Amino acid sequence: AQSVSQHNHHVILSEAASLELGCNYSYGGTVNLFWYVQYPGQHLQLLLKYFSGDPLVKGIKGFEAEFIKSKFSFNLRKPSVQWSDTAEYFCAVNSGYSTLTFGKGTMLLVSP
Amino acid sequence: DVKVTQSSRYLVKRTGEKVFLECVQDMDHENMFWYRQDPGLGLRLIYFSYDVKMKEKGDIPEGYSVSREKKERFSLILESASTNQTSMYLCASSFSPLHFGNGTRLTVT
């Protein structure tokens, strides 16, 4: 069974700081990778996804993620966070027609 | 834009009650899913369905059942609610990526 590990449960940053959230997965074959975000009081929404091709994926709101196959990693980055980025972030993975497996989430708090 | 609608935002039920959580999607998706979300545990898959009248167990199906009589509707049933089923329940449709509803926060007292 696949597993997804998110390195940090809570991250606190000041506005304009750079962000990197770690995500590692266990499956060694072809995978699809996702980052979802849940803003306070809102539903989960897709931030970005990787299926194939360029391993550097750009998503909404200035986020990007890099797929490094040799490290089984799909870390999320943003050069300069804003207060409005305060949210919970989930990494998820599936392969073929398997269901999505989610990480436990990282709560990001950005102080103004 | 995909719309996944969960009938209740908040529910409070008593231990032992039978609870129905309803979910409707408007995009003719074949695949629908029920997850529960708990702090520090992320999202865990309860049940999913690839077609009408079809269901598959996810990672934590115990204490739950589902019903899919129509393609657009996927119901989660708690046969006899218990306090450890107090949680946020999320419905999703499509497959890759998933589209989520707003969630139902269920409290069992």
Side-chain angles (χ1 to χ4, degrees):
Chain A
Q2 293 167 355
S3 65
V4 178
S5 175
Q6 291 185 236
H7 306 161
N8 308 98
H9 294 303
H10 293 89
V11 173
I12 301 173
L13 295 172
S14 299
E15 272 193 319
S18 63
L19 169 72
E20 181 159 5
L21 300 183
C23 173
N24 286 90
Y25 60 93
S26 62
Y27 184 68
T30 302
V31 292
N32 303 313
L33 296 154
F34 307 83
W35 277 96
Y36 282 85
V37 61
Q38 188 173 34
Y39 298 103
Q42 296 188 26
H43 66 280
L44 271 161
Q45 54 188 287
L46 183 68
L47 203 53
L48 48 79
K49 63 184 185 287
Y50 172 81
F51 289 164
S52 64
D54 188 344
L56 186 61
V57 179
K58 296 197 183 296
I60 60 172
K61 305 189 181 188
F63 286 91
E64 65 179 30
E66 185 175 13
F67 169 52
I68 303 179
K69 190 174 182 180
S70 61
K71 295 185 178 180
F72 298 89
S73 71
F74 191 55
N75 292 354
L76 182 70
R77 299 195 293 248
K78 187 171 184 179
S80 176
V81 294
Q82 301 172 317
W83 176 79
S84 57
D85 293 325
T86 292
E88 191 162 17
Y89 293 81
F90 294 92
C91 181
V93 62
N94 76 343
S95 60
Y97 291 100
S98 73
T99 57
L100 267 183
T101 299
F102 284 84
K104 293 184 178 181
T106 298
M107 184 70 72
L108 171 65
L109 176 63
V110 180
S111 57
Chain B
D1 205 19
V2 178
K3 196 167 174 73
V4 180
T5 304
Q6 293 183 233
S7 55
S8 303
R9 194 85 167 101
Y10 300 95
L11 274 179
V12 181
K13 297 292 181 180
R14 293 191 181 278
T15 301
E17 277 193 79
K18 191 169 185 175
V19 182
F20 293 85
L21 303 182
E22 306 288 344
C23 175
V24 176
Q25 50 97 1
D26 66 352
M27 287 299 291
D28 203 36
H29 291 148
E30 293 179 342
N31 306 306
M32 296 188 74
F33 304 81
W34 276 105
Y35 287 86
R36 63 177 283 178
Q37 182 182 6
D38 299 288
L41 296 179
L43 278 74
R44 294 178 291 167
L45 182 63
I46 305 171
Y47 266 97
F48 60 101
S49 169
Y50 286 139
D51 204 348
V52 175
K53 296 192 185 295
M54 177 272 176
K55 60 185 178 184
E56 294 283 347
K57 293 180 180 179
D59 300 318
I60 52 164
E62 296 78 18
Y64 303 94
S65 63
V66 290
S67 172
R68 187 134 182 236
E69 296 296 320
K70 293 184 178 181
K71 194 173 186 179
E72 67 271 19
R73 187 179 297 271
F74 191 34
S75 304
L76 180 69
I77 303 157
L78 285 65
E79 297 290 343
S80 177
S82 63
T83 54
N84 63 12
Q85 292 178 310
T86 290
S87 186
M88 172 69 86
Y89 289 88
L90 300 178
C91 176
S93 75
S94 185
F95 190 79
S96 204
L98 290 176
H99 298 273
F100 285 89
N102 281 333
T104 297
R105 184 166 294 283
L106 173 67
T107 302
V108 182
T109 61

